Amino acid sequence: MGICVVIPAYNSVATIEAVARETLQHGFPLLVVDDGSIDGTAEKLSGLPVNLVRHNSNLGKGMALRSGFAWALANGFSAVVTLDADGQHNPQAIPTMLASARENGFDLLLASRYSQFQEMSGLRRYWNRFGAWCMRKRTGFGIDDSQSGFRIYSSRLLSSVRLECTGYDLEMEILVKAWKGGFSIGSVPVAARVADGRSTSHFRPVRDTWQICMTFLKYSTPL
């Protein structure tokens, strides 16, 4: 059936409408998964041709993505593009990413922010650099931004892996399971946008970084 875009959103009232409008310009079906927002995030999409799934409470980014994947598979889409609701991912890069995924046969393609790692603050900068090094050492392939949420997943991959994580660590879980499952994985440089003061990150640097590290160790351990 083609490509769809999935955006997990939580309390993104300041940015979700602009992100949705820009994404819709590319003509792909769009699903927003409202993960229990209490600020009117879903209402900002009123009148837009957007599919909407709502969680009654905040379950975590991983659960929002899992709901989006389930919707995409149930509706027969062949691939899913994911991007965040805070406006830092550039929807204009979607065609370039799709072309790269098609040309190289990637089941999982990540938009890499590696060139901007030095601009990140504190723990996130060091984890991203360290995470890229660990990924190369463990898997042997050159994924230099393992935590980018701007990705393309094939339905073949999504229908083949059983996901367990519920938070930010889900993106690490699916990356490692794709590698262990022999799926084709790649990355393409795509710069993130500079925050404009409206975007709000719900990433908890210590807690979420620790969880991501533990997920990497858990799922990358040989069987």
Side-chain angles (χ1 to χ4, degrees):
M1 186 176 176
I3 313 298
C4 72
V5 181
V6 170
I7 301 177
Y10 174 60
N11 287 348
S12 303
V13 68
T15 56
I16 188 60
E17 182 180 358
V19 172
R21 286 185 181 277
E22 190 172 6
T23 301
L24 287 167
Q25 292 175 7
H26 297 285
F28 300 114
L30 171 60
L31 171 71
V32 174
V33 182
D34 181 3
D35 187 32
S37 298
I38 57 174
D39 66 346
T41 290
E43 286 71 21
K44 293 293 288 186
L45 300 171
S46 178
L48 294 179
V50 173
N51 300 283
L52 182 65
V53 169
R54 302 184 75 168
H55 292 169
N56 291 329
S57 60
N58 180 230
L59 303 178
K61 183 182 182 182
M63 286 301 298
L65 286 170
R66 286 165 62 178
S67 291
F69 295 155
W71 180 89
L73 291 174
N75 284 278
F77 289 100
S78 60
V80 178
V81 179
T82 63
L83 57 97
D84 292 344
D86 61 7
Q88 293 191 52
H89 295 153
N90 185 358
Q92 300 305 319
I94 292 175
T96 299
M97 292 178 63
L98 287 171
S100 179
R102 283 194 298 265
E103 290 168 8
N104 296 282
F106 292 133
D107 288 294
L108 173 54
L109 179 66
L110 294 81
S112 172
R113 306 158 296 172
Y114 186 77
S115 64
Q116 297 173 294
F117 279 179
Q118 283 302 119
E119 302 170 18
M120 294 180 178
S121 60
L123 192 57
R124 293 197 76 171
R125 178 176 72 246
Y126 292 111
W127 160 245
N128 275 291
R129 292 174 68 91
F130 179 66
W133 179 84
C134 289
M135 189 63 62
R136 284 194 297 272
K137 293 289 288 185
R138 182 70 186 92
T139 67
F141 54 67
I143 298 300
D144 53 22
D145 185 3
S146 62
Q147 279 307 291
S148 173
F150 196 2
R151 301 181 175 197
I152 297 175
Y153 300 90
S154 73
S155 60
R156 188 173 79 98
L157 168 60
L158 295 177
S159 62
S160 299
V161 295
R162 185 173 70 87
L163 299 174
E164 302 173 11
C165 296
T166 62
Y168 286 92
D169 52 340
L170 178 125
E171 288 164 324
M172 176 59 76
E173 177 192 5
I174 195 169
L175 176 57
V176 174
K177 287 184 173 180
W179 163 64
K180 294 183 78 171
F183 291 93
S184 179
I185 304 170
S187 68
V188 61
V190 177
R193 291 168 165 171
V194 177
D196 63 2
R198 296 180 303 155
S199 62
T200 301
S201 174
H202 302 288
F203 186 88
R204 299 160 297 186
V206 175
R207 180 174 176 179
D208 290 326
T209 296
W210 174 258
Q211 191 62 47
I212 291 167
C213 290
M214 292 300 99
T215 297
F216 173 77
L217 292 174
K218 175 181 178 181
Y219 293 112
S220 66
T221 301
L223 296 175

